Amino acid sequence: MSIASLVVSRAGADEAPIIANLMQLYIHDFSELWFDREVEGELGPDGRYSGYPGLGTYWTDPAREAWLFRIKDLPVGFALVNDVAHARAPIDRAVAEFFVVRKHRRRGVGIAAAHALFGTTWGVWEAAVVRRNAGALAFWRQAADSYPGVRDIVEEDHDDAMWNGAVLRFRVG
């Protein structure tokens, strides 16, 4: 499958179940980073993760957007975008969550999807990465560095009440 057939589109409320299903895979991937936490990343008695608190707000709050990534009309990932900063610097958009299914990773799908997102809104973007997710930090560095028109890239390391990990901020446009 080619990234040329990648479609990144805003997810409507009728597509919320697709993102909820993909969220199970996302949480599964993330669970290995939560090995020292008692609750996060544990399956419930029904064999499912508890889900993502506030997922429904991505279809009711105008500052929040859910995006689906598809190849040949099949879902291959999603992004949740909002305006909540992890650092004290002002931003316009933040990538709250970003996920590509394993089959399509390291094939350019993630970078192409991130670039499609950047093209939706000019301004200051932020991607915050939890400390243990070194692969994601490398991904966001590459996504920002390779997008035409990105400037003013700032990377900060945070270990405070707001965030524990890297915060990458950059201006698009």
Side-chain angles (χ1 to χ4, degrees):
M1 295 189 187
S2 164
I3 62 168
S5 61
L6 175 69
V7 175
V8 175
S9 60
R10 184 95 179 259
D14 61 320
E15 297 169 307
I18 298 169
I19 292 191
N21 288 340
L22 290 170
M23 189 63 74
Q24 289 290 303
L25 301 172
Y26 175 74
I27 294 170
H28 175 262
D29 279 2
F30 239 82
S31 69
E32 72 181 353
L33 301 174
W34 293 328
F35 59 83
D36 61 343
R37 296 186 183 182
E38 194 166 319
V39 176
E40 290 98 337
E42 292 295 340
L43 291 168
D46 62 354
R48 294 179 54 83
Y49 294 102
S50 62
Y52 187 82
L55 183 60
T57 64
Y58 282 86
W59 290 276
T60 60
D61 182 342
R64 295 173 179 252
E65 302 170 348
W67 294 83
L68 268 171
F69 314 152
R70 288 188 172 94
I71 294 178
K72 296 186 178 178
D73 291 326
L74 298 175
V76 298
F78 70 89
L80 300 179
V81 177
N82 60 38
D83 61 357
V84 179
H86 286 78
R88 287 178 173 74
I91 62 163
D92 297 297
R93 305 307 292 150
V95 181
E97 312 298 343
F98 188 93
F99 176 72
V100 174
V101 296
R102 288 183 183 269
K103 178 178 181 175
H104 296 282
R105 291 182 193 167
R106 293 175 183 75
R107 297 177 172 197
V109 171
I111 295 291
H115 287 178
L117 290 176
F118 300 162
T120 65
T121 305
W122 284 8
V124 177
W125 281 74
E126 177 187 278
V129 180
V130 297
R131 187 163 310 284
R132 291 185 177 138
N133 201 346
L137 181 55
F139 168 83
W140 287 112
R141 285 173 177 155
Q142 181 183 0
D145 284 340
S146 62
Y147 187 74
V150 162
R151 57 190 163 86
D152 304 331
I153 299 173
V154 175
E155 183 177 326
E156 299 172 343
D157 183 66
H158 287 257
D159 187 4
D160 55 39
M162 289 184 71
W163 188 248
N164 185 355
V167 176
L168 190 67
R169 257 188 334 279
F170 48 93
R171 180 172 295 282
V172 175

